[in-house]
Amino acid sequence: MTYSKKVLEHFQCPRNVGEVEGANGVGTVGNAKCGDIMQMFIRVNDEGIIEDASFKTFGCGAAVATSSMATEMIKGKSIDEALQLTNSAVVEALEGLPPAKIHCSVLAEEAVKAAIDDYMKRKNGEKRE
Ligand code: FES
């Protein structure tokens, strides 16, 4: 199993690790098979633009690399644009992943969607902070 240079680079030097200050959307997802967990944090401004995004993961190297790339890809995007982010786009940006590791990128996509969902619920007053 070989990893692209981009994957290794994002694994060794992950971007946006930790919790975004003033996050107004937080999503946590897990993969039942491998037991890995990923948490995404986003801060959305009044115009609906994701000003900042970060992640924390108890996951494998591919989970670290894909969430690092996913946070980079949604920063500065609108909520609608970020919702279009697919795991394959993340994999493509990382110049590929071994087939056995594709599910890790799905976790990153799901975590982004969960964070946006949380933001929408808070915005619509369904949830108190
Ligand atoms: Fe589970 Fe990668 S092995 S997220």
Side-chain angles (χ1 to χ4, degrees):
M1 187 153 67
T2 50
Y3 288 108
S4 73
K5 266 193 195 152
K6 265 246 155 84
V7 172
L8 292 174
E9 202 249 313
H10 273 264
F11 169 60
Q12 277 153 3
C13 261
R15 326 293 196 269
N16 316 310
V17 178
E19 288 182 38
V20 155
E21 224 184 283
N24 50 9
V26 182
T28 308
V29 293
N31 181 296
K33 263 197 192 161
C34 65
D36 291 346
I37 295 171
M38 195 180 290
Q39 199 169 28
M40 278 286 167
F41 302 84
I42 53 172
R43 189 176 67 242
V44 185
N45 68 15
D46 293 342
E47 281 78 50
I49 303 294
I50 299 173
E51 286 181 333
D52 210 352
S54 69
F55 76 96
K56 282 198 210 166
T57 186
F58 294 102
C60 69
V64 172
T66 50
S67 34
S68 166
M69 182 55 92
T71 49
E72 285 288 272
M73 288 172 86
I74 61 169
K75 270 209 260 180
K77 297 261 164 71
S78 70
I79 287 293
D80 286 344
E81 285 167 334
L83 278 173
Q84 317 273 319
L85 181 78
T86 60
N87 75 299
S88 17
V90 176
V91 172
E92 205 171 300
L94 285 170
E95 293 163 4
L97 269 182
K101 288 284 161 184
I102 294 294
H103 79 270
C104 319
S105 65
V106 173
L107 207 57
E109 179 193 323
E110 286 174 351
V112 167
K113 296 209 157 88
I116 293 175
D117 192 52
D118 181 55
Y119 162 76
M120 299 297 268
K121 282 188 179 142
R122 290 187 200 204
K123 199 175 150 224
N124 299 331
E126 287 172 35
K127 196 167 160 181
R128 293 268 153 95
E129 279 189 50

